[in-house]
Amino acid sequence: MEERYSPSAIEAKWQKVWEEKKTFQVSEDPGKEKYYLLEMFPYPSGRIHMGHVRNYAIGDVVARFKGMQGYNVLHPMGWDAFGMPAENAAIQHGVHPAKWTWENIDSMRKQLKKIGLSYDWDREFATCSPDYYRWEQLVFLRMLEKGLAYKKSSAVNWCDDCFTVLANEQVEDGCCWRCGREVVQKELEQWFFKTTAYADELLDDMDQLGGWPEQVLTMQRNWIGKSHGCEIDFAVDGNDETVRVFTTRPDTLFGATFMSLAAEHPLAEQLITDAQRAEAEAFIEKVKKQDTTERSTETMEKEGIFTGSYCINPLNGRKMPVFLANFVLMGYGTGAVMAVPAHDQRDFEFAKKYDLPIEVVIQPEGEALNGATLEEAWTGPGLLVNSGDFDGQPNEDAKQAIAEYLDGKGEGKATINFRLRDWGVSRQRYWGTPIPVIYCDSCGVVPVPEKDLPVVLPEDVVLSAEGGSPLARHEAFLKVDCPICGATARRETDTFDTFVESSWYFARYACPDYDQDVLDKKAADYWLPVDQYIGGIEHAVMHLLYARFWTKILRDLGLLSVDEPFTNLLTQGMVCMETQSCPEHGWLYPEEVENGRCTKCGKPVIGGRTEKMSKSKKNVVDPDALIRLFGADTARLFALFAAPPEKDLEWNEQGVEGCSRFLNRVWRLVYDNLDLISQVPVATAAEGSAKALRRQVHETIQKVTSDIDGRFHFNTAIAAVMELLNAVNGFKQNSEHPAVIREAVEAIVRLLSPFVPHMAEELWELLGHEGGVIAAGWPEVDPAALVKDEQMIVVQVMGKVRAKITVAADASEEQVKEVALADTNVARFIEGKTVRKMIYVPGRLLNIVAN
RNA sequence: GCCCGGAUGGCGGAACUGGCAGACGCAAGGGACUUAAAAUCCCUCGGCCUUAUGGCUGUGCGGGUUCGAUUCCCGCUCCGGGCACCA
């Protein structure tokens, strides 16, 4: 037995014990309460970084804590293994995406295992394995049957030189990242999931998500964007067509002075008059080049072009010129907007630019707005004016009144609109799940029969910088007999968005090897929902919304019984570090800087900003090096102690040394007291000078428990244990109270075990226990130990602290006031004044108001 | 631009429901031990004033509510995350 704390030896020892005993392997046990803890699984990028260490350390604390409390804890790990980086590696380094991915998984698994995380590794899977994605393909087929998956034409970013689709992140200043050619918008037939069919449920079921951070719920609510409004038909002047608009402000209809259409609007072509044709078509071309995220931003210059046609305002018969405008999107509402410049800022700017009439129809109380002098749109409430029979109505009432009036005339109706769009899942990429459909010239779109699943992604492909999917060049994959008529047909060569795999992996962990169906319902019903989900805030909307959507799909297919996948959610901040650069050598690693100078040339470095760790900026810390130097327990402890989980964590090497010092102190505490306490039982009561120490032991148990459970304030939990350690070290009558010392030492070891499991196991064994610290369970508070004889009351005069008094724990309000007024410093401040009132917060504070 | 957050000593952070601002840790300074170093231990540590008891001031900025505001409200500044083909 080593007397010095030697992390590498004890960490290897206990990792082996856990692996051999399968300590964290679980199965369905109806007799035990389950707890499913999940951290967002990683993309196998190659190396574990500090963000992973932090995420998984946080999860591991909760998993081990719940395990010690007696829950049947499911804590799995796997790999989100499809995605673009693998393809980029293939193009740049000639490695096959599959080889690249599987090798990354192997090295990252090794790294994770060194951290001592309590995973049930038997449940591990990677989403790029056909055993996983075949079930995804099956769900797709069932969605197809139910009309929840469908095909439609949609715009993508396209590069004509590379002949390929570009992701938004591959578009730099409107040009292709690889060749620099201007990116154009191209219409392609793509597969969509009907997320909009679940829009209402996705919104309503948020009531069940009380365990989610409010900010995430707000973001999702805004993303779904339910708005009540009205669809209104506007007749086109001089022909039989009508233009339908959606508006949330039917109350402003009398103020609509023109009309704006999306450039892609199906009626646009027809409405453009010959006189306007040349200009309008040039405008459409220009708009099509702007990518859609750019078009919806408000910084963009609002531009438009007159079509030459007019619409008729159904309420007042006004002739409204019809424009095409770059800020109107075909994807939202009807792709046509009635423009009310007096009451909508975008319309206002547009009207000013093109000199269109501005007419006020909502008059705020106590003001007299005038369209001619208005400086910005009035979007607040008010009474209707210039609105015929509706004059004088509050605008909120008028929304319904006007909608009903139009409904009666058959020219409009109240509707609900969502900002949420259907989820486009087609990707023109190789490294993803093949979409299981076949195109036959005579039978059309034919789903792959279930018996032919999985459609396996072929590995014998050549990836090149040419672009385009290699699947489209793979004859054996492409050519297939039509399942209906037997004629030669071709396969779909698009693959799924990788968000599809991560939308249901949490359910598959319940039964990773089940080979009869998507899920083994019995196992899924036992384990789901996930009780605690942990991951980065950057996933607040998309991943979490898609996972909620898939849960509802799986439920409606009879595969799951739950409505929502994640009962509680913890969103963790990023790991950041200061960047440093040399004027000559660019970004520098921390070891390349000495005394503020570049070690290569001696020039002073430019201290950068604190930013998210990234390889390109060289502000990374390799967890492996950290573990070699200090041990996994220290790395874990630091990641948890430096900041609460939701906050960004700023890396600071010195902080690590502090954590290492603390663990050495814990180690010595056990060693230094071993002779004293090894032969005594744990105290159940304390006398005299040991009473305060024992009270602190139990106060610490109470604090650590509540800090971990639900609050996730690991930093303060650790701080409380540090304080207890300091108290034990400062307690000089050790030899008189060996049982209390033993109780304190054992409490420290058990309370620390979720944070630094290897050391805790080692010390627990050293203290003479068999069976491990996990089986020992979580320590319990002895209420008798918490009882106090005295209490400290803060005394304020006019809100400023003037004294701190100590009174009996059961002192009455009157007694507290008496002692407070007798205090000399208090007396000094109320001298010559009249005490007006005294505010007493029992057990805490007394504020004397005197003047 | 839109949506969502954040800002507290030299630094990371604490203060859970409106009630002692700065717990715990780092860094720094001083001391003990040591031939010396490392390790360890002890003391000081927001600013200003004071011999001291103590006082004034202070939680990004400007207002407000309250006996009392880091916490609640209004108006700003700066920083971060997301924005639908990065995962």
Side-chain angles (χ1 to χ4, degrees):
Chain A
M1 189 65 61
E2 273 284 334
E3 224 178 283
R4 277 183 66 104
Y5 170 45
S6 149
S8 57
I10 64 170
E11 285 173 7
K13 169 183 165 183
W14 289 102
Q15 282 164 19
K16 195 160 163 249
V17 170
W18 296 328
E19 182 143 8
E20 281 170 0
K21 289 194 174 171
K22 294 202 176 281
T23 309
F24 306 111
Q25 192 186 64
V26 286
S27 56
E28 294 89 79
D29 178 352
K32 240 175 145 185
E33 199 174 338
K34 68 94 183 178
Y35 190 88
Y36 183 0
L37 182 119
L38 184 66
E39 302 113 38
M40 291 178 186
F41 65 168
Y43 177 78
S45 55
R47 302 284 299 165
I48 294 288
H49 55 70
M50 284 314 302
H52 293 122
V53 173
R54 188 181 190 205
N55 191 186
Y56 305 138
I58 290 166
D60 204 45
V61 172
V62 180
R64 286 174 178 271
F65 170 75
K66 287 288 171 187
M68 287 175 81
Q69 283 190 326
Y71 289 90
N72 191 24
V73 177
L74 173 60
H75 188 204
M77 176 46 68
W79 310 95
D80 188 14
F82 275 137
M84 231 162 43
E87 284 187 37
N88 291 343
I91 293 164
Q92 282 159 20
H93 305 117
V95 202
H96 192 279
K99 183 173 152 58
W100 185 84
T101 302
W102 287 110
E103 284 179 1
N104 286 348
I105 288 174
D106 281 340
S107 62
M108 287 173 80
R109 185 193 303 108
K110 276 194 199 107
Q111 287 187 294
L112 281 184
K113 287 196 170 179
K114 279 193 186 159
I115 306 172
L117 303 163
S118 62
Y119 295 128
D120 179 355
W121 282 106
D122 289 352
R123 291 173 187 262
E124 176 193 1
F125 61 76
T127 57
C128 63
S129 145
D131 290 337
Y132 179 79
Y133 66 66
R134 66 176 298 179
W135 303 115
E136 190 169 302
Q137 292 173 333
L138 180 57
V139 172
F140 171 80
L141 294 178
R142 301 212 177 131
M143 288 172 79
L144 205 53
E145 275 168 30
K146 298 182 98 179
L148 291 167
Y150 68 98
K151 235 186 160 190
K152 73 169 180 191
S153 173
S154 172
V156 292
N157 300 313
W158 181 264
C159 173
D160 261 333
D161 277 348
C162 300
F163 207 66
T164 192
V165 175
L166 298 173
N168 278 348
E169 74 154 18
Q170 295 173 323
V171 180
E172 292 168 357
D173 298 325
C175 297
C176 174
W177 68 329
R178 218 178 284 152
C179 68
R181 178 167 179 148
E182 195 169 285
V183 172
V184 295
Q185 296 296 304
K186 183 174 168 166
E187 291 283 320
L188 282 185
E189 282 274 305
Q190 310 216 60
W191 287 99
F192 282 80
F193 288 163
K194 215 165 190 167
T195 39
T196 52
Y198 286 83
D200 261 317
E201 207 194 333
L202 286 166
L203 198 61
D204 295 343
D205 284 355
M206 275 189 230
D207 294 346
Q208 298 176 32
L209 302 180
W212 283 38
E214 197 50 49
Q215 59 158 314
V216 175
L217 294 177
T218 307
M219 279 195 257
Q220 292 219 348
R221 210 171 276 124
N222 291 338
W223 189 265
I224 295 168
K226 183 175 185 170
S227 57
H228 294 264
C230 188
E231 281 185 358
I232 304 172
D233 290 329
F234 287 73
V236 175
D237 191 29
N239 87 36
D240 294 339
E241 291 293 344
T242 56
V243 178
R244 175 166 292 182
V245 306
F246 172 78
T247 178
T248 57
R249 296 294 304 272
D251 51 322
T252 64
L253 180 50
F254 279 90
T257 56
F258 62 99
M259 177 83 85
S260 306
L261 263 56
E264 306 90 337
H265 197 282
L267 283 177
E269 190 65 15
Q270 205 178 326
L271 293 177
I272 295 168
T273 57
D274 289 339
Q276 299 292 322
R277 187 154 305 273
E279 261 186 281
E281 283 180 354
F283 178 79
I284 290 172
E285 275 311 300
K286 185 177 163 192
V287 171
K288 280 187 175 170
K289 281 182 184 165
Q290 295 174 325
D291 76 84
T292 47
T293 36
E294 193 188 329
R295 275 175 68 188
S296 53
T297 65
E298 293 210 2
T299 40
M300 185 194 59
E301 180 70 22
K302 285 159 195 61
E303 288 180 25
I305 190 103
F306 181 44
T307 56
S309 296
Y310 292 85
C311 276
I312 306 298
N313 187 321
L315 289 188
N316 58 13
R318 181 205 294 270
K319 268 176 81 174
M320 300 161 58
V322 179
F323 280 72
L324 302 180
N326 62 351
F327 63 88
V328 181
L329 305 173
M330 202 55 223
Y332 181 76
T334 59
V337 182
M338 68 176 205
V340 186
H343 304 291
D344 181 285
Q345 189 58 26
R346 284 184 306 191
D347 294 342
F348 181 83
E349 288 169 26
F350 197 88
K352 282 284 178 195
K353 183 164 178 169
Y354 295 100
D355 201 20
L356 295 157
I358 297 171
E359 183 159 348
V360 172
V361 291
I362 308 276
Q363 205 56 261
E365 214 181 316
E367 284 188 62
L369 300 179
N370 181 337
T373 56
L374 210 57
E375 283 177 3
E376 60 177 5
W378 170 258
T379 55
L383 300 179
L384 265 64
V385 292
N386 303 322
S387 297
D389 295 344
F390 299 94
D391 274 0
Q393 282 200 27
N395 73 303
E396 284 303 320
D397 299 352
K399 283 182 181 174
Q400 201 186 341
I402 290 179
E404 279 169 10
Y405 173 80
L406 291 169
D407 198 3
K409 286 188 15 176
E411 288 173 341
K413 64 176 194 312
T415 54
I416 288 167
N417 203 38
F418 291 92
R419 209 184 73 98
L420 182 74
R421 311 205 290 262
D422 280 342
W423 175 13
V425 292
S426 295
R427 297 292 180 269
Q428 294 69 40
R429 304 197 183 281
Y430 163 69
W431 192 234
T433 299
I435 299 175
V437 290
I438 290 164
Y439 298 104
C440 169
D441 286 338
S442 34
C443 309
V445 178
V446 182
V448 171
E450 285 189 19
K451 65 174 174 53
D452 293 341
L453 293 184
V455 175
V456 176
L457 184 69
E459 295 204 358
D460 52 336
V461 295
V462 182
L463 279 110
S464 68
E466 277 169 42
S469 173
L471 294 179
R473 301 187 292 260
H474 191 288
E475 277 300 304
F477 176 79
L478 194 62
K479 266 181 73 176
V480 64
D481 292 339
C482 171
I484 296 173
C485 69
T488 300
R490 62 194 164 77
R491 282 192 194 279
E492 171 68 82
T493 57
D494 284 358
T495 54
F496 281 133
D497 177 3
T498 57
F499 270 116
V500 180
E501 284 86 60
S502 57
S503 292
W504 71 284
Y505 74 109
F506 51 88
R508 187 68 185 172
Y509 278 137
C511 46
D513 301 319
Y514 191 63
D515 61 359
Q516 301 300 304
D517 203 343
V518 181
L519 295 170
D520 174 0
K521 186 136 191 304
K522 243 180 78 193
D525 281 351
Y526 177 81
W527 290 113
L528 291 164
V530 173
D531 294 280
Q532 182 67 55
Y533 196 35
I534 304 174
I537 182 70
E538 66 272 22
H539 296 291
V541 177
M542 295 172 56
H543 162 60
L544 288 168
L545 193 69
Y546 295 149
R548 295 182 59 216
F549 166 69
W550 260 68
T551 301
K552 292 172 196 307
I553 295 284
L554 293 173
R555 178 201 60 194
D556 291 348
L557 292 173
L559 295 160
L560 272 184
S561 307
V562 297
D563 294 325
E564 285 291 334
F566 315 120
T567 309
N568 296 290
L569 173 71
L570 173 65
T571 49
Q572 130 224 323
M574 299 176 310
V575 179
C576 306
M577 192 169 168
E578 198 191 344
T579 55
Q580 291 174 306
S581 63
C582 166
E584 193 162 326
H585 296 96
W587 299 110
L588 298 174
Y589 286 111
E591 60 270 22
E592 293 172 334
V593 180
E594 212 163 81
N595 300 324
R597 287 173 183 277
C598 172
T599 51
K600 294 177 196 162
C601 62
K603 287 191 178 140
V605 298
I606 304 155
R609 295 221 309 261
T610 302
E611 290 181 84
K612 184 174 176 168
M613 283 189 180
S614 80
K615 268 186 203 162
S616 63
K617 297 199 172 147
K618 297 194 174 179
N619 61 337
V620 288
V621 173
D622 183 6
D624 266 7
L626 194 72
I627 290 167
R628 263 198 309 279
L629 213 55
F630 295 99
D633 281 339
T634 297
R636 294 169 58 125
L637 192 70
F638 176 69
L640 297 164
F641 179 62
E646 330 74 75
K647 288 197 73 162
D648 289 350
L649 184 154
E650 203 180 315
W651 195 258
N652 171 331
E653 201 73 24
Q654 280 112 17
V656 183
E657 280 166 28
C659 287
S660 177
R661 263 204 288 272
F662 167 66
L663 291 183
N664 273 293
R665 275 151 61 83
V666 173
W667 187 264
R668 283 203 308 275
L669 175 75
V670 175
Y671 261 92
D672 294 351
N673 289 288
L674 210 50
D675 289 341
L676 178 72
I677 63 178
S678 57
Q679 301 306 320
V680 297
V682 168
T684 52
E687 286 307 320
S689 57
K691 240 178 147 172
L693 180 62
R694 183 155 197 268
R695 183 168 66 238
Q696 192 173 347
V697 169
H698 287 271
E699 282 171 350
T700 306
I701 294 171
Q702 194 172 42
K703 175 161 177 63
V704 173
T705 308
S706 69
D707 275 356
I708 297 177
D709 209 2
R711 243 165 70 90
F712 308 113
H713 281 206
F714 307 120
N715 54 334
T716 52
I718 294 164
V721 179
M722 286 174 170
E723 283 181 80
L724 180 58
L725 176 82
N726 292 343
V728 179
N729 281 338
F731 185 71
K732 298 301 175 202
Q733 298 85 30
N734 282 16
S735 54
E736 295 162 38
H737 304 281
V740 175
I741 299 300
R742 183 174 184 105
E743 188 183 21
V745 168
E746 292 206 348
I748 288 171
V749 171
R750 287 160 81 183
L751 291 175
L752 283 178
S753 70
F755 303 94
V756 291
H758 312 89
M759 170 189 259
E761 289 286 11
E762 184 70 19
L763 293 178
W764 192 247
E765 191 179 69
L766 196 66
L767 284 162
H769 298 285
E770 280 172 24
V773 70
I774 297 168
W778 191 248
E780 284 188 19
V781 176
D782 175 5
L786 297 176
V787 176
K788 285 183 176 180
D789 302 333
E790 295 180 323
Q791 56 179 345
M792 198 267 290
I793 305 285
V794 171
V795 183
Q796 299 182 332
V797 178
M798 298 299 287
K800 286 182 192 281
V801 179
R802 298 302 178 190
K804 292 170 188 180
I805 58 173
T806 302
V807 296
D810 57 357
S812 69
E813 183 169 343
E814 286 314 308
Q815 287 169 319
V816 170
K817 286 178 180 170
E818 201 177 307
V819 177
L821 290 169
D823 183 274
T824 51
N825 204 43
V826 172
R828 207 153 67 84
F829 279 92
I830 55 178
E831 200 186 338
K833 291 176 182 165
T834 313
V835 174
R836 301 287 170 194
K837 62 177 168 177
M838 290 194 261
I839 291 140
Y840 180 57
V841 184
R844 281 194 147 160
L845 172 138
L846 179 73
N847 188 12
I848 301 165
V849 184
N851 56 18

